[in-house]
Each structure stands twice: as structure tokens, then as C-alpha cells.
């Protein structure tokens, strides 16, 4: 085949360092916009972004030009540095080292968009630990709780 044809939808979830509530209303909107610019600079397309005070959800079309691990390294590294340079905070902003990334079928994109749109309401009923555990079990991803929650 003379060209690479790719449609790679990913639902990506990651948390703040130690799952601290550091995504405050003061930085949230600008952080999401900045993340959108970084995703675009990585030849990818942001579809939806949202989250809560201790974690973030991104639905995007991941570029064929970047591995997921390289994409995440660049995204998380540049955004944590940007937050610390842009805002005067009484804490050092950082992301947790890992992430969850889930493949999404094209016909499920609208469901994931709706899910991400309702994060604030969703987290009135459940916490991030239960949410992520549900995804890991749904996608049959083996994991050791020690390395996720400690």
C-alpha cells in the first residue's frame, strides 16, 4: 500500500501527581486550551477534553506519526512545565507518571464525548479510583493495584 491510512481514536486518562486536587478552576480552562494546542502540534486532533480536580480525560485522534508513549511524554511534560511557568501557584504542578489509554470504535465516539462532558456531575457519585478500575476491568487490562494507587 502506497500510503498509511489511520483512524486511531483514543480515550486517555491520567491524574495529577499523588492525585492531588491541583486542577483548580483558576487554571482549568487555560490548561485545557493549552493541551488542545499541544495535541494539534503533535499532528493529532482533540475531540473532547474534560476532567475533575485530580485527573483529566482526553478523546483524540492520535496521529500515525507518534507512538502513544511518545505522545504522552510530550503532552504531559510540556503541560506541567507550562502550568508552573504560567501561573503563580503555592504548589508545584505535576502529573502522575502513568496513564490509561483506551481504543474507541468510531461508532462510540459520541458516547465518550458525552461521558467526558459530564465529568463534574459524574464525580459527585464516584471517585477517580472507582472510575479507572471500571475502565481497566472493562478493557480486561491486568494491573497491580500497588502500582496504580500507592
Amino acid at each position: 500500500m502506497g500510503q498509511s491510512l489511520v483512524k486511531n481514536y483514543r480515550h486517555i486518562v491520567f491524574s495529577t501527581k499523588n492525585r492531588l486536587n491541583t486542577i483548580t478552576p483558576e487554571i482549568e480552562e487555560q490548561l485545557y486550551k493549552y493541551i488542545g494546542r499541544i495535541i494539534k502540534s503533535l499532528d493529532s486532533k482533540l475531540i473532547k477534553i474534560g476532567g475533575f480536580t485530580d485527573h483529566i480525560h482526553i478523546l483524540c485522534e492520535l496521529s500515525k506519526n507518534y507512538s502513544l508513549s511518545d505522545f504522552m511524554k510530550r503532552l504531559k511534560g510540556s503541560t506541567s512545565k507550562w502550568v508552573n511557568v504560567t501561573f503563580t501557584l503555592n504548589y508545584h504542578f505535576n502529573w502522575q507518571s502513568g496513564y490509561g489509554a483506551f481504543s474507541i470504535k468510531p461508532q462510540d465516539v459520541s458516547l465518550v464525548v458525552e461521558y467526558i462532558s459530564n465529568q463534574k456531575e459524574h464525580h459527585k457519585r464516584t471517585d477517580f479510583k472507582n472510575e479507572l478500575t471500571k475502565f481497566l476491568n472493562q478493557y480486561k487490562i491486568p494491573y497491580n493495584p500497588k502500582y496504580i494507587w500507592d
Side-chain angles (χ1 to χ4, degrees):
M1 181 177 271
Q3 59 183 331
S4 299
L5 305 170
V6 176
K7 184 65 84 168
N8 189 0
Y9 292 110
R10 291 296 175 113
H11 179 186
I12 300 168
V13 183
F14 54 96
S15 69
T16 58
K17 182 126 179 139
N18 300 317
R19 290 176 309 286
L20 297 175
N21 296 320
T22 54
I23 303 174
T24 62
E26 294 78 30
I27 71 168
E28 181 182 51
E29 184 179 343
Q30 290 182 62
L31 173 62
Y32 290 175
K33 287 179 182 176
Y34 185 76
I35 288 172
R37 290 193 300 270
I38 295 300
I39 290 171
K40 186 176 182 178
S41 77
L42 295 171
D43 302 327
S44 299
K45 179 183 174 190
L46 176 64
I47 298 169
K48 187 67 181 173
I49 189 169
F52 202 58
T53 57
D54 65 345
H55 70 282
I56 194 165
H57 291 257
I58 296 169
L59 177 61
C60 67
E61 284 184 43
L62 187 62
S63 170
K64 67 182 184 292
N65 298 321
Y66 291 94
S67 69
L68 178 60
S69 60
D70 191 39
F71 176 88
M72 291 305 298
K73 181 179 179 181
R74 292 171 185 243
L75 176 67
K76 290 169 71 177
S78 67
T79 55
S80 59
K81 180 179 178 182
W82 176 82
V83 168
N84 289 308
V85 168
T86 304
F87 298 95
T88 304
L89 305 172
N90 60 356
Y91 56 88
H92 185 76
F93 184 90
N94 227 335
W95 298 112
Q96 195 86 350
S97 61
Y99 58 87
F102 310 98
S103 299
I104 302 299
K105 297 183 289 191
Q107 60 267 34
D108 290 341
V109 166
S110 61
L111 295 172
V112 177
V113 167
E114 183 178 343
Y115 181 81
I116 293 172
S117 297
N118 293 318
Q119 279 295 292
K120 301 247 187 311
E121 194 61 35
H122 172 72
H123 285 292
K124 290 179 181 177
R125 296 182 304 276
T126 190
D127 64 9
F128 177 61
K129 184 176 181 177
N130 288 327
E131 179 181 50
L132 184 60
T133 301
K134 178 184 148 202
F135 282 124
L136 295 172
N137 292 333
Q138 178 183 344
Y139 283 86
K140 296 178 176 43
I141 298 173
Y143 64 96
N144 183 335
K146 176 183 177 187
Y147 297 111
I148 296 177
W149 311 121
D150 290 345

